[in-house]
Amino acid sequence: MKYLFLSLFLLFSLNAFTQSLLLKGGMVHSGNGEGAQIQDILITGNTISRVGNNLAINGTTEVIELNGLPVTPGLISPMSNLGIVEINALDVTRDDESDVLKAGFSIFNAFNPHSTGIPWNRSNGVTSAITSPGSSSFPLFGLASYFVLDGSLEIKGLKDIAMFGRMGSSYGSRAETLSVLESLLELGQKASAMPIEEVLEMRLADQLELQAQDILALKRLVDDNLPFVLETNRAVDILQAIALKKKYGLNLVLASVEEAPLVINQLKASKIPVIIDPMDNIPDSFDELGSSLMLGKVLDEAGIKIMFSTQRSHNYHLMRQGSGNAVAYGMSYETAIQGMTQTVAETFNLGARGTIAQGKIADIVVWNADPLEPSSFPEFVFIAGQAQDLSSRATRLTERYTNKENKPSAYKH
Amino acid sequence: MKNISLLSVPLLLILGCSDLDESLSETTKSQNKSFASTYEPMQSQPILYKSANIYDGLGGEFLDYDLLIADGKIVEMGQSLAQSGINVIDATGQWITPGIIDIHSHMGVYSAPGVSTSSDGNEATSPVTAEVWAEHSIWTQDPQFALALKGGVTSFHVLPGSANLFGGRGATFKNISKNTIQAMKFPNAPHSLKMACGENPKRVYGNRRQSPATRMGNMAGYRSAWIDAADYRDGMQDTDSDKHPKRDLAMDTLVGVLDGEILIQNHCYRAEEMAMMVELSKEFDYKITTFHHAVEAYKIADLLADEGICAAMWADWWGFKHEAYDMVPANIAIIDQARNGTGCAIVHSDDEVGIQHLNQEAAKAMAAGNRAGFDISKAHAMRWITSNPAKAAGVIEATGSIEPGKDADIVLWTHNPFSVYARAQQVLVDGALAFDMNDPKAQPVTDFDLGIIQPQTIRAQ
C-alpha cells in the first residue's frame, strides 16, 4: 500500500501545471548545524524559493502537509562506488580500477545511471554522491566525481572534483609511501614551470610509468586546491599528513582517522575536515589500535568538520546509522545531520546543494521519523524539486513475494 | 502482586545431553569427552532490577516490572517484588532483554587485528574438512569479544569459514574472557557442522582446477561425503569391534550429524540451492538447523517454515557478490511471518561491527517488514536476536529468554533497544556483572588491549 500511495503522489506532483510546491509544517533540519524548527519550504522549479512560516502561496501551488515530520537536505555520500561497481566480486561489473592510469584515473565516464544501487540509495534518502576510484597499491587511486542520483542518462554532476589516496600499513614501508607521495607532488609543482612532456621524461615519472593525465592531476593538487582525500589511521601518520598539507599547501581531507583522538589538538589546529565511519571501532590493523566509538564525539568537541563513510559498499544511506551511533556516544545531533549534507557540499565545492535555504537546489528528504534512527525511512525524496519514485528492485521483489496469488512468481508483476 | 511465574519452577534446566545419550552411537558418545567445556560462571550476587520495561525474548513485553536474579539464574519476574539485603537497581524507564546471541560469528578465528597470522577460519585445503573444529583455532585474547559484550552479546556461535563444502565444526561460547577455549565454551552446547553452498567453494577449488568448480560439483561433493559417512557408521556399528574402521575425525563429525547430535549450520544464499540442500538432507536423513546469510530465503519462506529450518540473515547487506544481489529488507520479516507466523527468523552478524549492533539490525528488519505490510511488534522482533538464535545453537533450554530457571544472561539498556541511541548499560552473564558502562573496573580488558599504545594506558574501547 505504501508504495502505491507514493506512486500516486509522484504522478500528481509531476503534473506539468504545477509550478510550485509547498512543504508545510515540517521539522526542518537545514543542514547548517543549527537546531531544527517547524517551517514551511516553498519549492519553485528546481529551487528552494522561500523557507519560513506562513509563506504566501498562489492558487496553483501544491501543498503537502507534513505535520511535523523531520525534513533534511538530500543526503550526500562523500565516498561511494555508486554507478561504477555493480557487484564487488565480479570484476566484469566493476569500473573502479585502472591498470594504466594512476593519479589521473578519472571514473567519470564509467558512471552508469541505471546501476541498481542508485534507486536503492535514493529511496533511502541519498540524493547525490561522490564516487571514487577503488583503492590500489599505488598511494594515489585517482580522481573522484560527483553525481546527482536522479537516474537520468543526462548525467548531472561534477567531473574530477577530488583526488583519493591512502597512506598506512601495506607490504612496503610507509616511509617509502610518504617519500613517493612527496616526489609526486613535486612533479605536480614542476608541471607549472615546464611542459608536461618534459615532466613525463623525468626519472620518477618514467619509472612509475606516469601518463599525462597523472601529471595534470598532480598539478591540480598543488596548484588548483583540488580536494585531496587521504585515508590514514595511525596517530603519527595523521601528523605526517598535516605536515604534508603545510609543506605543499594541499586542500587536504583525511579519511578514517581512527587514531585522531590521540592527536586531536594538532588535527584541530590544521583545520582539516575528516570522513569517518563512527561504527568502526575494530582494531583491524596495527594502524588502528586507538579505534573507538568515541571518535565522533572527540572530533565534534574539537570543532573539526566531520563527514561519514560506511563500512560496506552499496548501502551508503547507512551513514545515518553510523552518525546515529556517534550521537549515542556523544556527538551533537545537528553535527550529524550537517555531516551528511552541508559539510560534504562545502568541503568538495558542490555548489548550491547541501542545505535547506533560499536559493539552494531543492534536494530534500521528508522522513517518517528521526532520520538518525536506522529504522526510519523517507516518505518523500525530492531531487532538484522533482519528487522521486521510491521504488527499487528490493520493493519490486518484496511486492512479488508478498503477493499470495496462487501462480508462479514469474507471473506476478 | 502479579507474577509471571513463580519460584516453584525448577531452577536448573540442564541441556538434555544426558537424556540423549541412550540414543547416540558409541562413536558420538566418545567424542563428547574431549575438549569439553570447563566454563564456570564468574562470582555473582543476587540482583533485583526494579521498575524496568522487559522484553522476555519470547514475544512478551512487560512494562514496569521487576526482575530478580540469584545464583546466576533468573528467579522471578513480577511486579512489586521485594527482597531485603540484596543489590537493588532502579531501572525505571529503562529496558531489559535477554542477552543477545549471535548464531554466526568468526570472532577468535578471524581475530583483530586481521593479520595473516590470525587468519584461522578457513582450512581451505580440501573441499571436505569436516575434521577441523573452529574452537581449535580461537585466540582467547581477541579484542572483539569485549566489543561484542559491550553491544549486549552474551553468547555466540563461532563457525569456520565458507571456503569448503564441509568447513568443520562450530561451537557456542559464553562471552566471558578466559585464557583457555574450554573455559569459555557454553556448557553442554552441541557442536555444529558448517556447510557452504554456492559461489565460495566452487570459486576456491575451481580456481585450482579441482572439484567443485560448479554448483553441480558442490552437490556431488556433499553426496559423496554423506555416502562415506553412512558407510563409516555402518562399519562402526558392527557387533565385531575388530571390524570397525580406523577412527576418522571427518567421519566422526558427519556421523554426529546423522545421529542428530551435531547441528547443521548451512551457508546458503540462493533459494533453489537452499531447496536443493533440503532435498539432500532427506536423501541422507539428517536435519538442517539453519540456513545462514539466506539472502533469498524470502523466495522459499513457506518451505523453510514447513521444514522447521531457521534462516539467519542480515538486515540489508547486498551487492558484494552475485548470490547476494536479490536482497530485500523485508527478508527477515517474511521468514518470520511464513505459515501464520511459524517461521524461524534470526538476525546474524558474520561481522565484528555488526555483532555489536544486532539490536539495530533487528530494528531495521522489523521496520522494513512493517512497511511491507506486516504487523510485527518490537517484543516479537526481539526473538530474532535472542530465543531464535538460542534455538538454532541448541542452547534454548539454558538461555535466550527471560524465564525462571534460565541462565541470568541479561542486558539492561539505557533506552529502548530498537533505538540507535540505546547502549547496553549493564550486561550480566550467568548473573555476574560482565560489563557496566559506568564502571571501568567492570569492563573486560584483554591482554592485547593492555599497554599496547602507551604502556600506562588501556587501548581505547
Side-chain angles (χ1 to χ4, degrees):
Chain A
M1 273 315 280
K2 179 73 75 180
Y3 307 128
L4 180 64
F5 165 72
L6 292 174
S7 305
L8 290 175
F9 167 76
L10 183 69
L11 293 173
F12 184 49
S13 75
L14 293 179
N15 185 314
F17 296 103
T18 304
Q19 297 298 311
S20 57
L21 172 67
L22 184 73
L23 301 177
K24 192 166 176 50
M27 178 60 75
V28 177
H29 300 264
S30 66
N32 67 4
E34 289 168 16
Q37 48 185 318
I38 295 286
Q39 286 186 311
D40 303 340
I41 302 166
L42 184 64
I43 300 170
T44 306
N46 67 357
T47 307
I48 298 168
S49 49
R50 293 285 304 280
V51 181
N53 289 308
N54 303 313
L55 298 183
I57 54 171
N58 61 38
T60 63
T61 301
E62 183 192 339
V63 179
I64 302 177
E65 294 281 353
L66 297 184
N67 298 313
L69 288 180
V71 182
T72 66
L75 308 185
I76 310 173
S77 169
M79 206 170 170
S80 84
N81 61 19
L82 283 169
I84 62 168
V85 175
E86 188 66 22
I87 295 173
N88 301 60
L90 277 178
D91 284 347
V92 292
T93 72
R94 297 183 69 136
D95 289 297
D96 62 330
E97 288 167 14
S98 169
D99 292 334
V100 178
L101 298 171
K102 296 184 172 73
F105 172 50
S106 166
I107 53 80
F108 186 79
N109 290 330
F111 183 77
N112 174 18
H114 291 162
S115 174
T116 56
I118 290 171
W120 170 245
N121 278 271
R122 179 175 66 219
S123 68
N124 281 295
V126 181
T127 56
S128 61
I130 292 170
T131 294
S132 64
S135 59
S136 66
S137 56
F138 199 71
L140 298 176
F141 310 153
L143 298 163
S145 293
Y146 172 69
F147 298 100
V148 176
L149 302 180
D150 62 2
S152 166
L153 285 167
E154 289 172 40
I155 291 166
K156 299 168 200 73
L158 298 166
K159 188 181 180 197
D160 301 345
I161 56 149
M163 174 81 71
F164 273 65
R166 178 179 174 277
M167 182 176 69
S169 70
S170 66
Y171 291 105
S173 166
R174 73 196 68 218
E176 183 186 68
T177 308
L178 204 55
S179 170
V180 169
L181 209 48
E182 290 212 33
S183 301
L184 289 168
L185 292 169
E186 279 156 21
L187 286 182
Q189 288 175 329
K190 290 199 167 67
S192 307
M194 60 175 80
I196 297 288
E197 294 71 23
E198 287 180 31
V199 180
L200 284 170
E201 284 168 12
M202 299 182 78
R203 186 171 170 76
L204 181 73
D206 185 52
Q207 205 169 16
L208 295 175
E209 299 180 335
L210 298 184
Q211 308 295 319
Q213 293 96 318
D214 299 321
I215 302 296
L216 285 169
L218 292 167
K219 181 171 181 291
R220 289 185 65 199
L221 275 183
V222 287
D223 278 5
D224 299 347
N225 228 24
L226 182 72
F228 177 20
V229 180
L230 185 66
E231 183 191 328
T232 197
N233 282 304
R234 186 179 281 184
V236 70
D237 291 347
I238 294 171
L239 296 181
Q240 293 284 7
I242 294 170
L244 209 60
K245 172 192 163 86
K246 284 183 188 150
K247 186 171 176 185
Y248 296 95
L250 301 173
N251 182 6
L252 196 62
V253 178
L254 289 178
S256 204
V257 292
E258 294 191 23
E259 291 201 339
L262 301 174
V263 288
I264 194 67
N265 291 329
Q266 297 93 321
L267 189 59
K268 178 182 180 176
S270 75
K271 299 195 186 316
I272 295 173
V274 298
I275 302 173
I276 62 168
D277 174 0
M279 294 173 76
D280 183 359
N281 60 342
I282 304 296
D284 302 279
S285 75
F286 282 88
D287 283 11
E288 302 159 51
L289 299 175
S291 182
S292 111
L293 293 173
M294 306 304 289
L295 177 61
K297 172 189 161 81
V298 174
L299 292 166
D300 190 25
E301 286 177 352
I304 292 164
K305 290 196 160 118
I306 304 164
M307 295 162 279
F308 303 101
S309 61
T310 52
Q311 191 197 9
R312 302 184 69 81
S313 68
H314 289 72
N315 285 333
Y316 299 100
H317 60 284
L318 293 184
M319 64 182 158
R320 298 195 287 118
Q321 185 177 3
S323 62
N325 276 278
V327 170
Y329 280 83
M331 177 188 277
S332 93
Y333 188 96
E334 294 303 333
T335 297
I337 300 286
Q338 189 178 20
M340 297 186 282
T341 56
Q342 186 193 38
T343 308
V344 189
E346 290 193 344
T347 302
F348 294 98
N349 311 309
L350 303 181
R353 288 188 142 98
T355 53
I356 294 176
Q358 189 171 331
K360 299 285 184 177
I361 292 170
D363 291 355
I364 293 172
V365 182
V366 178
W367 303 89
N368 77 320
D370 180 352
L372 297 194
E373 288 285 4
S375 55
S376 302
F377 50 83
E379 292 282 1
F380 304 108
V381 174
F382 299 92
I383 295 180
Q386 297 295 305
Q388 302 294 304
D389 185 331
L390 298 185
S391 59
S392 62
R393 279 192 85 240
T395 64
R396 299 298 304 275
L397 285 163
T398 304
E399 283 163 7
R400 166 170 283 190
Y401 285 94
T402 51
N403 175 345
K404 292 296 176 195
E405 282 179 85
N406 186 22
K407 55 185 180 185
S409 54
Y411 295 90
K412 296 177 181 176
H413 53 85
Chain B
M1 194 159 96
K2 194 174 84 178
N3 287 351
I4 293 306
S5 30
L6 296 169
L7 279 161
S8 56
V9 176
L11 267 180
L12 277 177
L13 298 168
I14 301 289
L15 253 184
C17 273
S18 53
D19 304 333
L20 279 172
D21 266 4
E22 295 312 309
S23 63
L24 298 175
S25 69
E26 288 301 319
T27 317
T28 301
K29 267 195 268 186
S30 69
Q31 296 166 17
N32 287 339
K33 295 172 191 142
S34 303
F35 311 100
S37 169
T38 58
Y39 172 81
E40 286 181 20
M42 288 197 295
Q43 283 202 331
S44 63
Q45 302 297 324
I47 303 174
L48 178 60
Y49 288 108
K50 292 291 290 179
S51 307
N53 301 316
I54 299 174
Y55 294 129
D56 67 0
L58 298 168
E61 177 186 84
F62 304 91
L63 302 179
D64 194 19
Y65 266 63
D66 304 337
L67 179 66
L68 178 63
I69 289 158
D71 299 326
K73 303 292 177 188
I74 294 162
V75 177
E76 190 178 12
M77 178 168 65
Q79 287 185 310
S80 308
L81 300 186
Q83 188 138 345
S84 57
I86 68 165
N87 183 16
V88 177
I89 295 171
D90 180 8
T92 305
Q94 292 184 249
W95 288 81
I96 288 176
T97 68
I100 291 172
I101 300 171
D102 191 0
I103 192 66
H104 195 118
S105 172
H106 299 300
M107 292 193 298
V109 298
Y110 286 113
S111 299
V115 289
S116 59
T117 40
S118 294
S119 177
D120 284 311
N122 265 313
E123 183 66 22
T125 53
S126 164
V128 181
T129 59
E131 68 274 19
V132 302
W133 295 20
E135 66 203 71
H136 295 159
S137 271
I138 288 178
W139 181 44
T140 57
Q141 303 304 318
D142 184 353
Q144 297 173 139
F145 296 132
L147 298 176
L149 182 69
K150 192 177 179 178
V153 173
T154 54
S155 301
F156 51 90
H157 189 71
V158 177
L159 288 162
S162 52
N164 301 345
L165 300 174
F166 295 89
R169 292 197 198 194
T172 303
F173 298 86
K174 289 271 190 179
N175 199 358
I176 293 290
S177 287
K178 299 277 179 68
N179 286 349
T180 69
I181 310 295
Q182 293 95 312
M184 292 177 67
K185 275 183 81 174
F186 200 113
N188 299 313
H191 272 130
S192 72
L193 172 60
K194 174 78 174 285
M195 291 178 69
C197 304
E199 292 180 20
N200 289 8
K202 86 183 187 95
R203 184 189 67 247
V204 169
Y205 295 97
N207 286 345
R208 298 177 196 169
R209 313 299 295 168
Q210 76 180 82
S211 185
T214 59
R215 285 182 163 85
M216 58 188 173
N218 287 352
M219 286 302 293
Y222 310 128
R223 296 176 83 197
S224 300
W226 287 124
I227 289 167
D228 290 347
D231 199 39
Y232 178 81
R233 183 174 60 174
D234 290 348
M236 281 296 190
Q237 284 172 347
D238 198 302
T239 47
D240 179 357
S241 62
D242 289 344
K243 291 186 181 166
H244 287 186
K246 184 185 169 193
R247 188 176 170 204
D248 181 305
L249 290 173
M251 292 299 120
D252 278 357
T253 297
L254 295 180
V255 169
V257 173
L258 296 176
D259 284 350
E261 199 214 17
I262 294 177
L263 309 179
I264 290 287
Q265 309 291 352
N266 196 336
H267 160 121
C268 213
Y269 284 75
R270 281 196 178 162
E272 60 279 337
E273 285 186 277
M274 285 185 267
M276 202 62 79
M277 297 307 279
V278 171
E279 194 63 23
L280 179 74
S281 72
K282 290 181 175 171
E283 183 179 9
F284 293 98
D285 194 23
Y286 67 91
K287 168 98 179 87
I288 299 166
T289 299
T290 315
F291 283 119
H292 289 243
H293 311 334
V295 165
E296 293 189 0
Y298 66 94
K299 298 183 182 180
I300 50 161
D302 288 345
L303 172 69
L304 298 181
D306 291 344
E307 296 292 335
I309 299 173
C310 298
M313 297 156 280
W314 295 291
D316 49 21
W317 286 23
W318 72 287
F320 48 94
K321 58 202 297 201
H322 198 188
E323 61 194 4
Y325 198 51
D326 280 6
M327 181 277 297
V328 303
N331 193 20
I332 291 161
I334 291 171
I335 290 300
D336 178 87
Q337 293 294 306
R339 298 285 192 223
N340 300 315
T342 59
C344 174
I346 296 169
V347 184
H348 74 353
S349 81
D350 185 22
D351 180 64
E352 61 281 6
V353 171
I355 194 174
Q356 301 176 47
H357 308 282
L358 283 170
N359 53 317
Q360 294 170 19
E361 301 306 300
K364 286 189 284 189
M366 179 187 70
N370 289 338
R371 203 179 170 201
F374 298 116
D375 181 17
I376 299 168
S377 69
K378 290 172 180 165
H380 183 86
M382 183 50 63
R383 299 166 42 165
W384 303 341
I385 54 175
T386 56
S387 59
N388 284 357
K391 188 172 118 185
V395 294
I396 186 67
E397 301 297 326
T399 190
S401 64
I402 297 181
E403 293 178 275
K406 279 200 165 180
D407 294 352
D409 298 343
I410 294 291
V411 185
L412 171 68
W413 301 89
T414 57
H415 298 78
N416 184 291
F418 289 87
S419 167
V420 76
Y421 307 116
R423 292 171 59 180
Q425 181 177 322
Q426 291 188 340
V427 183
L428 306 188
V429 177
D430 288 297
L433 188 62
F435 174 80
D436 186 329
M437 68 181 273
N438 297 316
D439 179 5
K441 289 290 175 194
Q443 299 174 6
V445 173
T446 65
D447 295 351
F448 176 81
D449 295 317
L450 210 56
I452 192 167
I453 299 176
Q454 287 153 336
Q456 309 83 357
T457 62
I458 290 166
R459 198 186 72 78
Q461 295 284 298

